[in-house]
Amino acid sequence: MNKPRARLTKREQLMKSALELFAKNGIHATGIDAIVERSGVTKKTLYAHFMSKEELVVAVLRQYDEQARNEIRRQVENGGKTARGRLLAVFDFAEKWFQQDDFYGCLFINAIGEFSEKSAPIRQICMEYKKSLKGYIRELCEQAGASNPQGLAEELGMLLEGATVTAQISQNPKTARIAKRVAKVLIDKGIPKVG
Amino acid sequence: MNKPRARLTKREQLMKSALELFAKNGIHATGIDAIVERSGVTKKTLYAHFMSKEELVVAVLRQYDEQARNEIRRQVENGGKTARGRLLAVFDFAEKWFQQDDFYGCLFINAIGEFSEKSAPIRQICMEYKKSLKGYIRELCEQAGASNPQGLAEELGMLLEGATVTAQISQNPKTARIAKRVAKVLIDKGIPKVG
DNA sequence: GTGTATGTATACTGATCTGTATACTTTATG
DNA sequence: CATAAAGTATACAGATCAGTATACATACAC
């Protein structure tokens, strides 16, 4: 029933500011004070909503996870009518993403680089996200009639990661097109022609 | 004339310890005290060799840059006789790398995630490393007679980044083989057959 | 309207951060 | 052997870290 709200709640303000700072500067480099200052909310209120910084980080990553999943599905579904077209639309989505001013690479890849401990819940969330993304690509591969959907999905997923990291480093969104070019080759090879 | 030394100099001990900690825990999360403790060298000595933490970070990244360039060239040159074989050997190198116990992803990719400011010298070093690696791959592509060496190098470089990140996240070195499989397809397509 | 939730403002704690200072010890070299 | 460089040990300074405490203000439900 979620009635839409005009203004953001304090919680939403905090999570939005935290996300922006985590994405730009990393998690360890972002202090509570900076989040509090940017959000315009007091520290007391922050700790009324989140028990600790880690809980805030986890909440932000989870929310971003969900939003990113929805956004990619929405754009991919709009971007292609056939399953093959939707697979390629993944890389059109990537290009738009890379072009954003606030693109600082994949939040999850960056987070993994800061938390190597296997036990870290932050790592867990990142792994789940990537797993679900690969699952989605595999679904599209199945729908497209790939002879080995899992294998093709692994290839395309890896390609997307590579394009993301390369775009982050080179500050050049064209890497998405290079990846799309490769994707075409892999898709044509992995999906048997009909007729 | 570099006479080989039995024990490491203090400087080398510091850089070795710093590298290990940066790779495992990230740069921001690694304090000077931790580096000092691990290296068994006092803080005073550290600051006699490096003016600041940033200078130490830069020195460590530069040294790793050089070592990594040498190591990949060595292994690639040993791993294949033909230019095509050497291109594929890049991914054999990757597999060995991913299998190491102290593999925590690419140091440079992780560092970039912590320093988004374009002005940051750390970013600069990371960009240079990736540029030089792509340059090396392009050389191999030229030697292999690729019709578009630059384009093929971009594709293969991106693939390597993707494999690295995916191995880091999934903790599974087999991503190197997936990347190699894709590389074969791209190489066969990008290098005109003779005869 | 009146109390309770939730918020602000601000000061604080104790730990940790980068970097420095002081006093002593080892080590290499002429 | 004498001396200077380089290192140890340790304490410290000032900033910033995550998180808490106190006192006051606002907004909303009954």
Side-chain angles (χ1 to χ4, degrees), chain A residues 155-156 158-159 177-187 189, chain B residues 84 87-88 91 137 141 144-149 151-160 178-193:
Chain A
E155 294 171 2
L156 296 176
M158 192 179 298
L159 203 56
R177 290 197 199 164
I178 299 175
K180 190 177 180 182
R181 191 175 70 203
V182 175
K184 272 183 194 152
V185 174
L186 296 176
I187 291 168
K189 188 176 160 298
Chain B
R84 184 182 183 280
L87 275 174
L88 289 173
F91 297 91
I137 296 177
C141 290
S147 50
N148 177 6
L152 184 55
E154 280 167 351
E155 294 172 2
L156 295 177
M158 193 179 297
L159 201 57
L160 181 61
I178 299 174
K180 190 178 181 182
R181 193 175 69 204
V182 175
K184 272 184 196 153
V185 174
L186 296 176
I187 289 168
D188 286 343
K189 189 177 159 296
I191 300 179
K193 291 281 195 308

Side-chain angles (χ1 to χ4, degrees), chain B residues 99-119:
Chain B
Q99 282 167 346
Q100 289 173 16
D101 289 338
D102 58 349
F103 170 71
Y104 298 105
C106 171
L107 184 64
F108 298 110
I109 293 175
N110 293 345
I112 284 269
E114 292 198 69
F115 297 87
S116 67
E117 296 291 309
K118 279 187 197 171
S119 59

Side-chain angles (χ1 to χ4, degrees), chain B residues 58-76:
Chain B
V58 166
V60 166
L61 289 180
R62 283 203 197 287
Q63 181 185 257
Y64 185 78
D65 175 6
E66 195 191 333
Q67 286 176 351
R69 288 190 204 198
N70 293 340
E71 183 61 16
I72 192 170
R73 274 166 181 70
R74 198 183 63 77
Q75 287 207 35
V76 164

Side-chain angles (χ1 to χ4, degrees), chain A residues 1-13:
Chain A
M1 204 51 180
N2 289 347
K3 47 183 167 184
R5 230 181 310 274
R7 278 161 65 245
L8 296 177
T9 66
K10 301 293 164 182
R11 192 171 214 275
E12 287 163 346
Q13 285 178 52

Side-chain angles (χ1 to χ4, degrees), chain A residues 51 55 66 70 73 90 108 118 127 139 183:
Chain A
M51 273 180 52
E55 194 179 293
E66 196 191 332
N70 292 341
R73 274 165 181 71
V90 169
F108 298 109
K118 278 188 197 171
M127 288 173 66
E139 279 175 37

